[in-house]
Amino acid sequence: MLEARGLCKSYGDLVAVDGVDLVVAAGETYGLLGPNGAGKTTTISMIAGLLEPDAGEVVVDGRQITARSPKGKEAIGLVPQELAIYPDLTAAENLAFFGRLYGLGGRELAARVDQVLEVVGLADRRDDLTKEFSGGMKRRLNIGLGLLHSPKLLILDEPTVGVDPQSRNAILESVEALATGGIAVLYTTHYMEEAERLCDRVGIIDAGRIVAEGTRRELVSLVGQRDRVTIGGSGDPMATVAAVGSVPGVVEVTSSDHTIEALVEGASRLLPEILAKATAAGWNVTSVQVVEPNLEAVFLHLTGKALRD
């Protein structure tokens, strides 16, 4: 649905984006993560046709997107960080106004307003002025504005900034439903747990370049991170360490304070055999904990910064 090839953009001597390639399929949620100043907003602006690249091209649903022409942009829904709603209009009136800008009207527009209000969970507040809405409700309506014309690619630029946990969860549930419905979603966020929850694939951008890309598991394996299995209990720790260490795929085993800890390549696959070996060695298992490495560790390794830096 989206192909961005060799995108470049400079401002004088500052290279903001340096050869970015992105591909997002229909029904896929792609997370674009990077520290402040990494080039995320510039990349999104070029993909949405708001900014002309110095080099490279953007193709959405088979049509080239440029800042000089409106052609093909009807396939894109853009939800910027800034709210784009009118406080003295109701939720339904805001949607109807923007729907007419998209060229919708009549029964089609009325139906889309109803559908979007359901998707973003604001159907019961359709006739309330948006200046009375909470920050989270305004954010959800902002997403609704980008959905009105049934885009094939939805670009969400940090849609949960400054919202309460309940509203944030409602927004994430809405995004999950969109991908299930076949929309391609390009998602930027400063919250790593959102990327973990929503994104099928993640691209990490730093200094204008994509430095790594893949599924969570692929990115984790890229930097050599492994699952950590902790087995609580009692018994002979030396024998248990030796037994667990004999399982192919177990990289390292240690014991301390009634626990056995193992670094494992693919714990979900090896856990039954690990527990069987521990039990056979006389270890009385009372608890098991599996901690998979997360994107935060990968991001820090690749960029040398935390995501919110």
Side-chain angles (χ1 to χ4, degrees):
M1 191 57 66
L2 165 66
E3 292 181 75
R5 310 183 189 106
L7 293 182
C8 297
K9 188 67 180 179
S10 297
Y11 300 96
D13 294 332
L14 174 64
V15 179
V17 176
D18 188 10
V20 164
D21 297 319
L22 285 179
V23 176
V24 185
E28 180 181 30
T29 299
Y30 183 101
L32 186 61
L33 307 183
N36 289 330
K40 299 190 301 297
T41 299
T42 302
T43 299
I44 284 176
S45 296
M46 289 188 286
I47 290 172
L50 299 176
L51 186 65
E52 193 70 19
D54 297 335
E57 65 175 354
V58 176
V59 177
V60 175
D61 194 28
R63 301 183 68 177
Q64 187 170 356
I65 304 298
T66 73
R68 301 183 302 273
S69 170
K71 292 181 179 179
K73 293 180 183 177
E74 65 273 9
I76 302 172
L78 174 62
V79 181
Q81 293 181 39
E82 297 79 11
L83 294 174
I85 60 179
Y86 290 98
D88 291 322
L89 296 181
T90 67
E93 288 170 343
N94 266 284
L95 290 169
F97 173 76
F98 280 94
R100 286 190 287 271
L101 294 179
Y102 286 126
L104 303 176
R107 293 181 179 177
E108 180 186 14
L109 175 56
R112 284 300 298 156
V113 168
D114 291 341
Q115 291 166 7
V116 168
L117 285 170
E118 287 290 345
V119 168
V120 298
L122 292 173
D124 59 335
R125 302 294 300 271
R126 60 173 294 129
D127 296 322
D128 293 344
L129 296 178
T130 56
K131 65 183 177 183
E132 300 170 356
F133 282 8
S134 68
M137 292 167 64
K138 291 176 182 177
R139 287 281 174 189
R140 283 149 61 191
L141 182 59
N142 212 41
I143 293 174
L145 299 180
L147 290 172
L148 266 173
H149 60 304
S150 302
K152 296 184 177 181
L153 169 67
L154 182 66
I155 302 173
L156 295 163
D157 191 8
E158 301 188 22
T160 64
V161 170
V163 304
D164 60 273
Q166 183 178 359
S167 293
R168 184 175 171 216
N169 189 62
I171 290 171
L172 298 183
E173 288 177 351
S174 296
V175 175
E176 287 172 328
L178 295 176
T180 302
I183 295 178
V185 178
L186 177 58
Y187 192 97
T188 77
T189 179
H190 267 87
Y191 299 102
M192 194 64 76
E193 61 271 24
E194 291 183 4
E196 296 258 6
R197 172 175 169 176
L198 295 176
C199 299
D200 301 297
R201 289 187 302 127
V202 168
I204 296 177
I205 185 171
D206 190 35
R209 295 185 177 186
I210 301 292
V211 295
E213 183 184 66
T215 65
R216 186 194 64 81
R217 175 60 67 181
E218 288 169 344
L219 289 173
V220 163
S221 64
L222 184 67
V223 295
Q225 300 290 317
R226 299 181 175 90
D227 300 334
R228 182 178 297 275
V229 177
T230 302
I231 309 172
S234 59
D236 184 343
M238 297 293 289
T240 306
V241 165
V244 171
S246 70
V247 176
V250 174
V251 178
E252 180 183 331
V253 190
T254 59
S255 64
S256 63
D257 298 332
H258 303 291
T259 61
I260 304 294
E261 288 196 353
L263 292 179
V264 180
E265 301 277 5
S268 59
R269 175 175 53 88
L270 296 177
L271 188 59
E273 185 178 357
I274 289 172
L275 293 176
K277 290 283 189 180
T279 302
W283 191 258
N284 179 31
V285 178
T286 58
S287 65
V288 178
Q289 182 183 34
V290 177
V291 177
E292 296 183 342
N294 58 28
L295 288 175
E296 189 75 53
V298 178
F299 189 89
L300 187 62
H301 176 86
L302 291 172
T303 70
K305 307 169 186 174
L307 183 58
R308 296 190 182 96
D309 284 352

